């Protein structure tokens, strides 16, 4: 008897979670008026952009997460710029896929119906905007922006290569040791004060932009439906957003390759490639 009593909350939790329940999800979706889509690297996988858990976890012999730090940039700015030159090249030549397009299409539908639809992304590839999404919060910055290490001027820059010294560099198949070192003076410079610029990216151990955090907090505290798409939910603070929505008793729907949901409190789980599951769940024809 005690065993059953202990089992009941787990059983009710499991019965509560709906797997690939498109109809059930659609009922909740149609009633929602303030929807947030939280996205990670998985949404861009079908656009050919490596994820962090997948092949993208390493670049040459370096862990991407080690290169995405202020320390790495201070020690070897040329190597970090070569890494981001590679990331820019991949992102600039990639195309938004059906999951990006489905979110953009559904945002338009909501706009016509006076409902709110927003994207909060951990991705720095710019594919949400290129797919036509308008309400996009880029939590971790953007590859097409740079910031000056001296006067903090932020600038958009789609030049590829961003400087001559990075031409034909960045290829993950090449080994650092076989490449001539790039002198710091030949790295990208600030248009205003000529000091060294760095990618406008939030690196590990760095705080997010307070404005971006405030905008995200407002959405996470008011939305009535949250979609969690293609993220492993391990990096903070992004990883705590969807659980906060579930804690408020609002429905959360996860779209991930994995068959197991990242969090038991998520009501809906759609396993599989989000390029197929998301357009179907949102009922948009692309
Ligand atoms: C900060 C830019 C204040 C760089 C990135 C609390 C607890 C523990 C640690 C911390 C904590 N608070 C802070 C930390 C430290 C750290 C952190 O969270 N560390 C982790 C590793 C434990 N956080 C920070 O440093 C943050 N700053 O908190 O400042 C502070 C500072 C110090 C100490 C305390 C507080 C800054 C974090 C931002 C770092 N920058 N990106 C760049 O891109 O170069 S994070 C980067 O990694 C991404 O932006 C993203 O956020 C993360 C990768 O995760 P995902 O996007 O989810 O990708 P992943 O590959 O992991 O997963 C892909 C998923 O998709 C998988 O589930 C897969 O199954 C699925 N998938 C794949 N294909 C498909 C698919 N799904 C559907 N369809 C498909 N086709
Ligand atoms: Zn400057």
């Amino acid at each position: 008897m005690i065993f059953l009593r202990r089992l009941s909350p787990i059983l009710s939790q499991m019965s509560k979670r709906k797997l690939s329940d498109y109809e059930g999800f659609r009922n909740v979706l149609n009633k929602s008026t303030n929807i947030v889509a939280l996205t990670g690297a998985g949404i861009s996988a079908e656009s050919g952009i490596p994820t962090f858990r997948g092949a993208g976890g390493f670049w040459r012999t370096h862990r991407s997460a080690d290169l995405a730090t202020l320390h790495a940039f201070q020690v070897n700015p040329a190597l970090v710029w070569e890494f981001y030159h590679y990331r820019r090249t991949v992102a600039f030549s990639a195309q938004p896929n059906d999951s990006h397009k489905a979110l953009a299409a559904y945002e338009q539908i909501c706009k016509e119906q006076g409902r709110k639809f927003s994207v909060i992304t951990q991705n720095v590839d710019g594919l949400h905007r290129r797919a036509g999404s308008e309400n996009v919060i880029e939590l971790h910055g953007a590859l097409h922006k740079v910031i000056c290490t001296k006067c903090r001027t932020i600038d958009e820059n789609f030049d590829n290569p961003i400087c001559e010294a990075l031409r034909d560099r960045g290829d993950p198949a090449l080994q650092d040791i076989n490449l001539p070192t790039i002198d710091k003076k030949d790295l990208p410079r600030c248009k205003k004060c000529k000091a060294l610029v760095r990618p406008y990216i939030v690196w590990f151990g760095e705080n997010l932009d307070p404005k971006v955090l405030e905008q995200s907090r407002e959405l996470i505290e008011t939305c009535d439906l949250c979609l969690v798409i293609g993220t492993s939910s391990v990096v903070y603070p992004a990883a705590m957003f969807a659980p906060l929505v579930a804690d408020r008793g609002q429905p959360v729907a996860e779209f991930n390759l994995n068959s197991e949901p990242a969090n038991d409190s998520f009501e809906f789980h759609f396993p599989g490639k989000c390029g197929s599951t998301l357009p179907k769940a949102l009922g948009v024809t692309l």
Side-chain angles (χ1 to χ4, degrees):
M1 195 55 192
I2 292 168
F3 173 69
L4 279 178
R5 208 173 306 119
R6 282 233 187 87
L7 199 55
S8 59
I10 299 168
L11 286 176
S12 67
Q13 202 38 274
M14 285 165 75
S15 60
K16 195 160 94 46
R17 183 173 340 110
K18 304 177 183 79
L19 220 56
S20 304
D21 175 11
Y22 288 95
E23 199 192 331
F25 171 75
R26 200 77 60 67
N27 293 339
V28 169
L29 179 70
N30 297 339
K31 286 197 294 275
S32 304
T33 60
N34 181 359
I35 305 161
V36 167
L38 183 65
T39 70
I43 200 170
S44 296
E46 293 160 73
S47 297
I49 300 196
T51 64
F52 281 72
R53 261 10 48 213
F58 276 80
W59 176 78
R60 294 182 183 160
T61 55
H62 311 279
R63 256 172 28 93
S64 301
D66 295 341
L67 290 172
T69 62
L70 182 58
H71 173 71
F73 187 73
Q74 287 163 338
V75 169
N76 191 340
L79 182 68
V80 172
W81 256 122
E82 199 175 345
F83 170 58
Y84 280 99
H85 166 61
Y86 161 70
R87 303 270 305 279
R88 284 165 56 93
T89 305
V90 172
F92 294 171
S93 54
Q95 295 304 323
N97 63 59
D98 285 356
S99 42
H100 298 106
K101 294 174 187 166
L103 293 179
Y106 201 78
E107 181 183 341
Q108 289 314 313
I109 291 168
C110 286
K111 210 169 161 185
E112 285 140 24
Q113 299 170 345
R115 297 156 67 203
K116 196 172 172 187
F117 190 94
S118 317
V119 172
I120 300 178
T121 187
Q122 299 166 78
N123 302 341
V124 294
D125 56 34
L127 291 181
H128 282 299
R129 284 218 170 80
R130 283 174 53 197
S133 288
E134 293 161 8
N135 294 338
V136 180
I137 296 176
E138 292 169 322
L139 283 177
H140 298 157
L143 286 167
H144 69 272
K145 291 181 182 172
V146 295
I147 180 166
C148 175
T149 57
K150 192 150 162 266
C151 71
R152 313 307 289 167
T153 297
I154 298 168
D155 196 16
E156 289 212 339
N157 186 316
F158 286 92
D159 302 345
N160 205 26
I162 187 168
C163 65
E164 213 33 53
L166 287 168
R167 185 175 297 285
D168 307 327
R169 298 289 296 249
D171 181 347
L174 301 176
Q175 288 312 314
D176 307 342
I177 39 173
N178 311 336
L179 296 163
T181 50
I182 299 173
D183 192 302
K184 200 172 171 181
K185 69 176 175 22
D186 299 327
L187 290 174
R189 296 277 138 183
C190 172
K191 290 206 175 88
K192 267 220 187 102
C193 75
K194 302 294 171 251
L196 176 68
V197 296
R198 56 166 274 185
Y200 185 71
I201 300 272
V202 180
W203 285 329
F204 288 93
E206 292 189 317
N207 288 314
L208 278 61
D209 175 334
K211 258 196 339 297
V212 163
L213 265 181
E214 180 47 31
Q215 290 164 350
S216 307
R217 188 192 58 70
E218 198 271 331
L219 283 175
I220 293 300
E221 288 184 356
T222 58
C223 68
D224 53 12
L225 173 61
C226 179
L227 315 182
V228 184
I229 307 158
T231 183
S232 57
S233 300
V234 292
V235 170
Y236 288 78
M240 67 182 167
F241 290 173
L244 284 173
V245 175
D247 292 351
R248 283 197 298 116
Q250 298 301 326
V252 175
E254 182 172 20
F255 298 79
N256 195 294
L257 265 185
N258 296 344
S259 53
E260 276 313 301
N263 187 303
D264 283 344
S265 65
F266 296 168
E267 191 164 334
F268 297 94
H269 186 70
F270 296 93
K273 288 190 168 188
C274 55
S276 337
T277 57
L278 198 55
K280 184 176 173 195
L282 296 176
V284 293
T285 37
L286 300 171

